[in-house]
């Protein structure tokens, strides 16, 4: 899912934020500073919440299909933190993506 530098600037901002929370080595876990930036971005641009959730669900599907379970765990942690941070009115935008992620894990 990671792409080379030349197309990074062409990607939407929410995709760049989501891409940046995944470290090169999955043993390092979620990149906390980048996760804070993603959370702030999600809370200030609530119309992008559904896109962020769908993109995280796509990451999870990719990593589970390729048996990269450490990265799949990072995607789930990111979704969990976003769900905890978002307000009651905007949580509906995440529910579908979250349920797709849980279904894929089952």
């Amino acid at each position: 899912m990671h792409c080379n530098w030349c197309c990074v600037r062409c990607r939407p901002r929410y995709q760049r934020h989501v891409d940046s929370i995944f470290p090169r080595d999955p043993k390092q876990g979620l990149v906390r500073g980048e996760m804070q930036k993603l959370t702030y971005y999600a809370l200030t641009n609530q119309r992008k919440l559904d896109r962020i959730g769908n993109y995280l669900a796509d990451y999870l599907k990719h990593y589970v299909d390729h048996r990269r379970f450490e990265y799949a765990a990072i995607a789930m942690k990111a979704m969990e933190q976003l769900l905890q941070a978002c307000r009651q009115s905007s949580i509906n935008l995440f529910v579908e993506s979250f349920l797709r992620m849980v279904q894929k894990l089952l």
Side-chain angles (χ1 to χ4, degrees), residues 6-36:
C6 66
C7 69
V8 169
R9 295 176 58 132
C10 302
R11 299 176 72 98
R13 181 170 285 171
Y14 74 91
Q15 288 182 356
R16 292 188 307 233
H17 281 299
V18 172
D19 291 343
S20 67
I21 65 172
F22 292 93
R24 287 193 181 273
D25 181 14
K27 294 176 184 170
Q28 294 174 349
L30 191 66
V31 179
R32 292 179 194 257
E34 298 299 328
M35 185 62 208
Q36 290 174 350

Side-chain angles (χ1 to χ4, degrees), residues 42-43 45-54 78-101:
L43 292 176
N45 296 294
Q46 292 188 359
R47 66 187 185 282
K48 303 283 186 179
L49 287 174
D50 59 335
R51 293 180 187 174
I52 293 169
N54 287 333
M79 180 60 92
E80 179 186 0
Q81 288 185 18
L82 287 172
L83 281 169
Q84 290 175 354
C86 74
R87 295 178 176 79
Q88 293 293 337
S89 62
S90 61
I91 201 164
N92 293 337
L93 298 171
F94 274 128
V95 172
E96 182 181 346
S97 300
F98 179 72
L99 291 176
R100 279 192 321 147
M101 292 172 85

